[in-house]
């Protein structure tokens, strides 16, 4: 039989005691949390600990925090005493987190991130124009599709702040999300696999085309075979040589290796400047021509490419609550994606992932 025993306690102690004959250990657990952690662990101490780890040195941490070195040392020591474990290893070169320290650091980053998100939510509720959103994307995506979203959303919310983090590879895109540097990532997806800690929503299907600047010798042709262009002056991104990338797969489909690039660069400005000379070729997504200024600078060659449908998706962390501004950005992304002409899929794409 389960019996609950109610005990009156002063208001200031409410929440500290929950007695039950079925589980008397609950009282001890609550006291353990309140006395050992709840009253001794505070955001200031965690902040000092995080800065100390980041700087790798007590003195540099003290300088960054504008406090004395003994205060930093004492705070870390108090944390270690409260938790009952060593958080930092000291050596002549400085400090580094122990296994326990890394665990606390990971959770501390999450705590401060959620607090920061909470403040953003409050600011947005007070003034919807005060929203801020961090977006990870490649430079071509930033110049095309993402720029179109920002343009549309900023008309309605002129005080919105958009912070872009350029990520050139899928690994970098996942990194900025896991490190909470961005609220979301807009990118073309190379694979159908979804990381367990990520949510993925396909926005639209993109394709690529071969482009050249005015005066290129291939512009006068009615039809061009991709195999005829293998020895041309190609402008490529370093990632184009990696299996799974759209460019790599296109050339593999015709039984050829990726051409030797005359210029390897992620820079959109470099690409556009050199293409304007008329001597270079590049492969770019259709969305860049649709939304960016590429249609004013570039000409699409009449070159039929192997099936190259690439889904463009928005990716977010599963365990991170999106701010109102980030949710509005995603809603606007869906609207902008809806203005694109539909592309017939080659059947390789999986159904849309649940958001």
């Amino acid at each position: 039989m389960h019996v609950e025993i109610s005990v009156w306690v002063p208001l200031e102690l409410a929440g500290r005691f929950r007695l039950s004959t079925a589980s008397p250990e609950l009282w001890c657990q609550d006291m353990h949390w309140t006395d050992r952690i709840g009253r001794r662990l505070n955001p200031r101490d965690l902040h000092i600990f995080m800065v100390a780890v980041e700087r790798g040195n007590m003195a540099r941490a003290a300088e960054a925090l504008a406090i004395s070195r003994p205060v930093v040392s004492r705070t870390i020591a108090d944390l270690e005493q409260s938790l009952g474990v060593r958080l930092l290893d000291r050596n002549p070169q400085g400090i580094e987190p122990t296994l326990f320290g890394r665990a606390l650091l990971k959770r501390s980053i999450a705590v401060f991130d959620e607090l920061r998100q909470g403040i953003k939510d409050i600011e947005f509720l007070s003034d919807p124009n005060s929203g801020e959103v961090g977006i990870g994307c490649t430079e071509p995506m930033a110049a095309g599709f993402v720029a179109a979203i920002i343009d549309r959303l900023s008309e309605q919310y002129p005080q919105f702040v958009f912070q872009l983090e350029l990520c050139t590879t899928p690994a970098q895109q996942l990194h900025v999300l896991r490190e909470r540097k961005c609220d979301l990532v807009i990118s073309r997806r190379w694979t159908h696999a979804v990381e367990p800690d990520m949510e993925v929503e396909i926005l639209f299907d993109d394709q690529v085309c071969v482009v050249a600047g005015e005066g290129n010798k291939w512009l006068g042709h009615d039809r061009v075979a991709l195999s005829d262009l293998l020895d041309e002056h190609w402008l490529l991104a370093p990632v184009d040589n990696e299996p799974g990338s759209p460019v790599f797969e296109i050339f593999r489909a015709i039984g050829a290796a990726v051409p030797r690039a005359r210029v390897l660069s992620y820079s959109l400005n470099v690409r556009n400047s050199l293409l304007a000379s008329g001597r270079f070729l590049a492969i770019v997504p259709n969305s860049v021509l649709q939304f960016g200024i590429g249609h004013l600078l570039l000409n699409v060659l009449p070159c039929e490419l192997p099936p190259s449908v690439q889904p463009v998706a928005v990716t977010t962390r599963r365990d991170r609550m999106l701010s109102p501004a980030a949710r509005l950005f995603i809603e606007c992304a869906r609207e902008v994606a809806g203005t694109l002409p539909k592309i017939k899929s080659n059947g390789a794409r999986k159904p849309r992932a649940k958001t």
Side-chain angles (χ1 to χ4, degrees), residues 297-312:
L297 306 172
L298 308 175
N299 298 276
V300 179
L301 293 186
C303 180
E304 185 174 347
L305 300 178
S308 58
V309 172
Q310 289 285 318
V312 172

Side-chain angles (χ1 to χ4, degrees), residues 30 37 49 58 61 116 128 132 162 172-173 179 238 268 299 326:
D30 286 347
I37 305 298
F49 167 70
M58 296 286 191
R116 190 162 45 246
E132 181 178 337
F162 305 90
Q172 290 175 338
Q173 293 157 14
E179 294 299 314
L268 204 61
N299 298 276

